[in-house]
């Protein structure tokens, strides 16, 4: 698929602020631009951001492991992290937001062992964090909290410790606007999985925010066992206080560019019916911000890998391709195929290949699934 490679200015766009408003009369969210998008999935991805300035790998003991989208970064030793130029934070001193996906390798930080995790920022490092987002260990905060280190601002602790499920990704974000977020009295907000976790109405002087490095994937270096505890993936920075993260499941955070193509994926989402008329629902998902036009399932190929030999027959559709129509950005559509498995023993299993395409063949791909039958 096409790769977006453009680097817009990091200048903060001006927004109209109405002083004295504690609650917005109309729920119109702030809008703006993506000023940084880095996939964090390899050396090449870290040092070549999709949008905005490139990252730098600090330390040499790290790895890339399965994240939310492809791979993500995980530190494998102390004093390792990914750093982006500090000027980002200086440019976003008045308003902005940063989000990322976290894949936990432990359920929660452990005090004095592998304590507070610096999802954004570097706790207890001796340097001054600007905007930071930490996962507390029960001593240093309960769950996810954020703040501005140079201004001494913190969002309140959660009343209960956040306990994650190992291997299950969660989304974390922090948003801020010194003049109030969406016209409210909140100036700093923390989100987990799209839900508001905590907020602060404390103010700060944007001119005093230092151009300190923007750090992800760190922890407290004073806790000697703090590495290899979580994977961080797909970090995005915005030049506005983003509050709606319902689009977090789409890897690409920027609007479709002229000439850019969608990114599709396929899966068997449901099976029903009898052995002689087994109905498989095949879903095509659009994992990008570009609409897919005239999407279709080009074939359904079954190769037997287990059980006494038999020959299943696709009875509907009568022929491929099977058109499923247009797929809006971030949406999913489905088509069905009926397969006659008569003569196949219960232990029979098949490798299934599902080629698909859209945009008059400009976009194409294939999904292979194993151990399929019932």
């Amino acid at each position: 698929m096409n790769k977006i490679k453009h680097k817009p200015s990091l200048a903060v766009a001006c927004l109209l602020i109405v002083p004295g408003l504690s609650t917005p009369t109309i729920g119109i969210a702030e809008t703006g631009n993506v000023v940084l998008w880095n996939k964090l999935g390899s050396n090449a991805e870290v040092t070549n951001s999709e949008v905005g300035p490139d990252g730098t790998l600090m330390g040499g003991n790290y790895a890339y492991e399965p994240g939310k989208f492809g791979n993500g970064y995980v530190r494998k030793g102390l004093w390792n992290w990914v750093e982006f130029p500090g000027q980002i934070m200086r440019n976003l001193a008045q308003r902005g937001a940063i989000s990322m996906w976290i894949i936990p390798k432990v359920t929660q930080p452990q005090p004095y062992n592998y304590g507070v995790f610096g999802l954004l920022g570097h706790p207890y490092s001796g340097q001054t964090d600007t905007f930071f987002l930490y996962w507390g260990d029960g001593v240093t905060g309960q769950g996810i909290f954020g703040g501005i280190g140079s201004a001494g601002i913190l969002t309140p602790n959660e009343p209960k410790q956040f306990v994650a499920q190992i291997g299950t990704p969660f989304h974390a974000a922090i948003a801020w606007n010194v003049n109030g977020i969406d016209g409210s009295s909140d100036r700093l907000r923390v989100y987990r999985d799209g839900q508001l976790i905590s907020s602060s109405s404390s103010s700060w002087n944007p001119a005093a925010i230092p151009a300190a490095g923007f750090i992800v994937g760190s922890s407290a270096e004073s806790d000697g066992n703090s590495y290899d505890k979580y994977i961080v993936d797909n970090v995005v920075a915005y030049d506005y206080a983003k509050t709606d993260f319902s689009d977090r499941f789409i890897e690409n955070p920027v609007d479709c560019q002229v000439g850019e193509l969608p990114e599709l994926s396929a899966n068997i989402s449901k099976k029903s019916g009898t052995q002689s008329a087994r109905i498989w629902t095949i879903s095509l998902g659009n994992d990008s911000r570009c609409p897919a036009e005239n999407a279709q399932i080009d074939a359904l190929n079954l190769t037997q890998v287990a059980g006494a030999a038999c020959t299943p027959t696709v009875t509907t559709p009568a022929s491929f391709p099977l058109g499923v129509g247009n797929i809006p950005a971030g949406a999913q559509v489905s088509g069905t195929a009926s397969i006659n498995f008569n003569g196949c023993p219960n232990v029979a299993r098949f490798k299934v290949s599902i080629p698909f395409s859209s945009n008059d063949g400009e976009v194409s791909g294939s999904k292979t699934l194993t151990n399929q039958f019932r």
Side-chain angles (χ1 to χ4, degrees):
M1 308 306 170
N2 285 7
K3 180 179 178 181
I4 301 170
K5 188 67 177 179
H6 65 104
K7 300 195 175 190
S9 166
L10 292 182
V12 178
C14 291
L15 298 178
L16 178 62
I17 302 299
V18 182
L21 231 103
S22 58
T23 6
T25 54
I26 302 175
I28 300 176
E30 299 180 31
T31 58
N33 302 300
V34 170
V35 295
L36 174 75
W37 169 31
N38 193 290
K39 293 184 176 183
L40 297 176
S42 66
N43 283 7
E45 288 183 354
V46 168
T47 57
N48 292 276
S49 292
E50 300 291 318
V51 175
D54 300 329
T56 300
L57 289 155
M58 309 301 289
N61 201 353
Y62 57 87
Y64 300 101
E65 297 179 3
K68 176 64 178 178
F69 309 106
N71 286 332
Y73 169 90
V74 56
R75 67 202 309 248
K76 294 290 186 177
L78 298 177
W79 301 104
N80 287 260
W81 61 84
V82 175
E83 186 165 338
F84 296 94
Q87 192 60 36
I88 296 177
M89 291 306 207
R90 190 70 188 85
N91 289 337
L92 301 182
Q94 182 169 334
R95 65 181 68 85
I98 296 175
S99 73
M100 66 202 73
W101 281 95
I102 302 298
I103 298 82
K105 304 182 77 169
V106 294
T107 57
Q108 65 190 76
Q110 295 294 332
Y112 317 114
N113 184 4
Y114 45 93
V116 58
F117 296 157
L119 310 182
L120 167 67
H122 195 163
Y124 306 139
S125 66
Q127 70 181 67
T128 301
D129 281 327
T130 51
F131 297 89
F132 66 84
L133 188 63
Y134 293 166
W135 181 0
D137 56 14
V139 175
T140 308
Q142 304 276 1
I144 310 298
F145 64 98
I148 309 174
S150 58
I153 295 173
L154 283 172
T155 60
N157 289 345
E158 292 187 61
K160 194 173 166 185
Q161 177 68 38
F162 169 59
V163 179
Q165 183 176 340
I166 295 173
T168 299
F170 66 87
H171 188 263
I174 182 171
W176 62 91
N177 187 331
V178 72
N179 293 308
I181 297 174
D182 288 350
S184 75
S185 60
D186 291 348
R187 292 187 173 92
L188 190 70
R189 290 180 177 177
V190 169
Y191 293 83
R192 185 173 63 241
D193 290 330
Q195 301 298 310
L196 179 61
I197 298 299
S198 61
S199 64
S200 170
S201 60
S202 298
S203 188
W204 64 92
N205 177 11
I209 298 295
F214 165 9
I215 292 167
V216 296
S218 186
S219 290
E221 305 296 354
S222 55
D223 294 314
N225 194 28
S226 64
Y227 55 88
D228 202 21
K229 296 300 185 292
Y230 71 91
I231 303 161
V232 59
D233 188 20
N234 219 53
V235 63
V236 185
Y238 307 83
D239 65 2
Y240 66 102
K242 182 176 173 66
T243 58
D244 180 2
F245 294 95
S246 59
D247 59 355
R248 63 190 183 277
F249 299 103
I250 302 175
E251 180 182 21
N252 182 351
V254 297
D255 292 333
C256 184
Q257 308 296 306
V258 175
E260 186 188 349
L261 296 173
E263 299 181 8
L264 301 183
S265 59
N267 200 17
I268 299 172
S269 55
K270 183 180 178 182
K271 296 178 182 179
S272 62
T274 63
Q275 182 170 358
S276 60
R278 191 70 168 152
I279 298 173
W280 286 5
T281 301
I282 302 170
S283 297
L284 294 185
N286 183 353
D287 307 316
S288 74
R289 299 210 175 247
C290 296
E293 301 173 357
N294 301 319
Q296 61 186 37
I297 300 163
D298 292 315
L300 182 61
N301 304 313
L302 289 86
T303 304
Q304 191 167 4
V305 294
C310 61
T311 306
T313 304
V314 178
T315 55
T316 58
S319 64
F320 286 92
L322 172 61
V324 293
N326 297 334
I327 314 178
Q332 178 178 282
V333 298
S334 300
T336 59
S338 183
I339 309 168
N340 185 348
F341 283 102
N342 273 348
C344 293
N346 288 337
V347 295
R349 294 292 182 271
F350 299 86
K351 180 174 73 174
V352 178
S353 172
I354 309 170
F356 53 85
S357 60
S358 73
N359 297 64
D360 297 323
E362 286 190 275
V363 175
S364 62
S366 182
K367 176 71 172 182
T368 299
L369 300 165
T370 57
N371 202 35
Q372 300 297 310
F373 179 24
R374 290 294 184 185

